[in-house]
Amino acid sequence: ALDLQLLKEKIGLITKSFLVALLGLGGTAYFSALTLNFLMGIEVLSGLLYTIPLSVLSSAIILPSIDDLDDDKREFMIYESTFSDIVGIVGFYSVLAVAGSPSAEGVSGEVFGSLALTVILSIIISYILIYVFQNIKGHVKLFLLIAILLLLYAIGKMFHLSSLIIILIFGMILNNYKVFFRGVLIKLLDEEKVRGVLGDMKIITAESAFVVRTFFFILFGWSISISSLFDYRVWLIGVPIIVIIYLIRFFVLLVFNATFKFKKINPVLFLAPRGLITVLLFYSAKDFVNITVLGAPDFDFGGVLLFVILTSCLIMSWSLVREKKRLKRQEEEDFE
């Protein structure tokens, strides 16, 4: 959320980025679930629990990797990857709730009702927290900020609300305090102190994100055997999913390119790595439903996950290297 800037002139970009993330994720997850249904006979709803994680872009990998892109493409990728994470997590747990309930209609109403309540409470809590933070006079603030984030998470779990949405809205309001504190509310704000809180929060997220990414990828590495990549069934499932990922992304970007006005959809087309969120959601799906492939109960679906993550990251790396060489040639030609 600390990467999202809510500016009036960016409303169009934000809306389009959200639609690209939503359609790309939804289309990839659905057609990949149909592929699992065809290859493994698993129900589409249960298949979505595996394909939604495989459809989420990894902002943790994308954001540090796009410094050399044009400003418009870099900005688009920041918004799209962030929205993809958000939509993917919310969508996954919504499908999980529906799959685990005998009444899908009742769960759908409950999910949307809980979402609306979460948004309202999140906005109220965010205003209160920002006001409190700016009035903290002690020198020890970072651990207090961490404790508040944990408290927000705990409140969400206690009242069966989406902790993700609560923390997301808090971060968004904190980063865009000038948008949300207007009129009478602006008198409650000490901008210098709020900027200090925002700086501290960015330090916390940068440091903790590194630790969390490292920790979970180590766990992922321990749990997955490289030998699984030599299983033909991994390739039989992984290759179609990779093809679906880039086909869906190509068509969605092609439709919206007229409004983005990119000269080329490269390298944006190939910037679709899977990463931390994919790993985390995969383990949640694995705990909920165990699937078998081609009548082989010993098959480890984690091999498919590893295949998709490695392949998508290698494709992204190749695309960025190619783009960097193109920009270098262009600079040399312009200099001449």
Side-chain angles (χ1 to χ4, degrees), residues 133-134 145 174 192-202:
F133 279 158
Q134 72 175 7
L145 295 178
L174 178 60
E192 184 177 350
K193 290 183 178 179
V194 173
R195 282 196 296 269
V197 173
L198 178 59
D200 290 339
M201 188 64 73
K202 287 187 176 181

Side-chain angles (χ1 to χ4, degrees), residues 5-8 127 173 176-182:
Q5 302 244 339
L6 302 179
L7 302 176
K8 188 175 181 180
Y127 275 107
I173 292 178
N176 299 274
Y177 61 88
K178 291 183 180 180
V179 176
F180 292 93
F181 284 84
R182 292 185 174 184

